[in-house]
Amino acid sequence: RVSETREFLSSDRPDKRERLIADLVQRPGYATRMANAWREFLLPVGTDLESNGGIAGFETWLRERIALNRPYDQLVSELLQAEGDATQSGPALFFTAWELKPEKLAASTSRAFLGMQVQCAECHDHPFDRWRQKDFWGYAAFFARLQPTNGMLPPGIPAQSFVERTSGQVKIPETEQVVLPKLLGDTQVSTQSNLRAELAAWIVNEENPFFARATVNRLWAQLFGRGIVHPPDDFGDHNPPSHPELLNELATYFRETDYDVRNLMATLAGTRAYQLSSQPS
């Protein structure tokens, strides 16, 4: 707003920027903007989301939790364990939009929450990272028990509701080799457990070396237009961060402030780096 801009520029208060930022992140527009941004990186591009249950519920679910400043680890954990009808349960759309396919959900969740493109190992060992094909399908196995509520649907008919069965498995393509659920790394889990709950607990665990770093990098990219690791979803030895100390410090700060996204966004917006002009000298 023009009047607000003029008031800010004319003010001689030393804390005017800090006060304005604190006000902006409390406004409804902040929650709406953040919900839109997260929807864009969580849901597939070009999919008829209305056929999968409609996007309104998903955006409303996101916006409400952002407005309440729900800790990000809790939001992600809730999303990863969702089930039911996508028209009634907002986060269920995340799964129906990816067609309940383990390989698509593995690729999406690893990119969104861990900043890694493990889908490059879907058909063969990753060409320039450490992930093997068995790593990818071991991770995909966490989603192998999802099934449409009304059983298997004909090809091309999207599911709108789903449940988690007590069994289900994946095989490496073009083989009969069954791959058991395995976290990225070397940790295999019991197939008798609630697989998605176990995966969610591992992803948001503060000992996980990927989650906090990937999140702060994505938020940095949202404000600055470019990630400390860029693209933001391509962490790996082949693509090191431009400022590794900064990335580690932000990740530690994010964990120590209980995954408070609103606080982190306000902190980044208040930095000298963010206040520099975008005009080249």
Side-chain angles (χ1 to χ4, degrees):
R1 293 175 295 185
V2 174
S3 60
E4 190 170 34
T5 301
R6 288 174 175 167
E7 181 182 352
F8 175 81
L9 293 174
S10 63
S11 173
D12 57 1
R13 292 187 61 127
D15 62 344
K16 66 178 183 179
R17 187 180 299 273
E18 180 182 346
R19 289 166 59 89
L20 177 60
I21 292 171
D23 177 55
L24 289 173
V25 296
Q26 295 286 344
R27 295 183 186 180
Y30 164 80
T32 298
R33 176 68 186 90
M34 293 292 287
N36 290 340
W38 289 1
R39 181 253 300 161
E40 289 176 1
F41 76 77
L42 288 173
L43 299 182
V45 176
T47 301
D48 181 7
L49 296 174
E50 293 305 319
S51 297
N52 292 79
I55 199 170
F58 185 72
E59 287 192 343
T60 299
W61 176 81
L62 276 175
R63 189 165 55 250
E64 287 176 348
R65 278 147 185 78
I66 294 169
L68 293 170
N69 201 29
R70 183 84 175 267
Y72 189 63
D73 60 331
Q74 295 179 23
L75 185 153
V76 170
S77 181
E78 183 180 350
L79 173 68
L80 288 171
Q81 298 178 71
E83 64 179 51
D85 190 331
T87 64
Q88 304 295 324
S89 170
L93 178 66
F94 174 76
F95 293 90
T96 60
W98 291 106
E99 305 175 38
L100 304 181
K101 292 185 176 180
E103 64 273 23
K104 291 188 175 184
L105 289 165
S108 174
T109 56
S110 62
R111 290 178 61 191
F113 306 129
L114 304 174
M116 296 186 298
Q117 306 225 13
V118 298
Q119 75 274 12
C120 294
E122 178 178 346
C123 301
H124 47 72
D125 291 348
H126 200 297
F128 42 83
D129 209 338
R130 57 175 163 159
W131 308 115
R132 299 164 298 170
Q133 190 178 23
K134 288 184 66 174
D135 294 324
F136 174 84
W137 286 101
Y139 183 78
F142 284 96
F143 303 104
R145 296 178 178 178
L146 304 182
Q147 178 179 325
T149 303
N150 296 325
M152 299 306 294
L153 296 170
I157 304 299
Q160 290 194 356
S161 63
F162 66 96
V163 294
E164 182 154 354
R165 299 172 294 176
T166 57
S167 63
Q169 59 189 21
V170 297
K171 297 179 181 178
I172 292 181
E174 301 181 8
T175 76
E176 292 301 313
Q177 183 179 357
V178 173
V179 183
L180 297 177
K182 187 168 74 70
L183 300 169
L184 292 174
D186 296 315
T187 305
Q188 193 161 299
V189 303
S190 169
T191 56
Q192 305 303 313
S193 63
N194 183 327
L195 294 181
R196 283 191 296 150
E198 188 152 355
L199 175 64
W202 172 75
I203 284 179
V204 304
N205 190 289
E206 63 179 17
E207 298 300 322
N208 186 320
F210 312 116
F211 179 65
R213 285 161 51 88
T215 306
V216 299
N217 184 63
R218 186 176 293 278
L219 294 173
W220 179 280
Q222 186 174 332
L223 284 177
F224 287 86
R226 183 180 180 87
I228 301 171
V229 171
H230 193 78
D233 56 3
D234 195 17
F235 277 67
D237 294 340
H238 63 285
N239 189 32
S242 60
H243 298 75
E245 298 88 353
L246 171 61
L247 180 63
N248 290 335
E249 184 171 341
L250 287 173
T252 299
Y253 177 69
F254 191 46
R255 286 191 294 265
E256 291 178 347
T257 54
D258 297 323
Y259 302 96
D260 187 331
V261 171
R262 181 184 293 166
N263 173 73
L264 181 62
M265 291 293 278
T267 299
L268 294 179
T271 61
R272 178 176 176 274
Y274 188 70
Q275 296 167 31
L276 293 173
S277 171
S278 61
Q279 296 294 326
S281 61

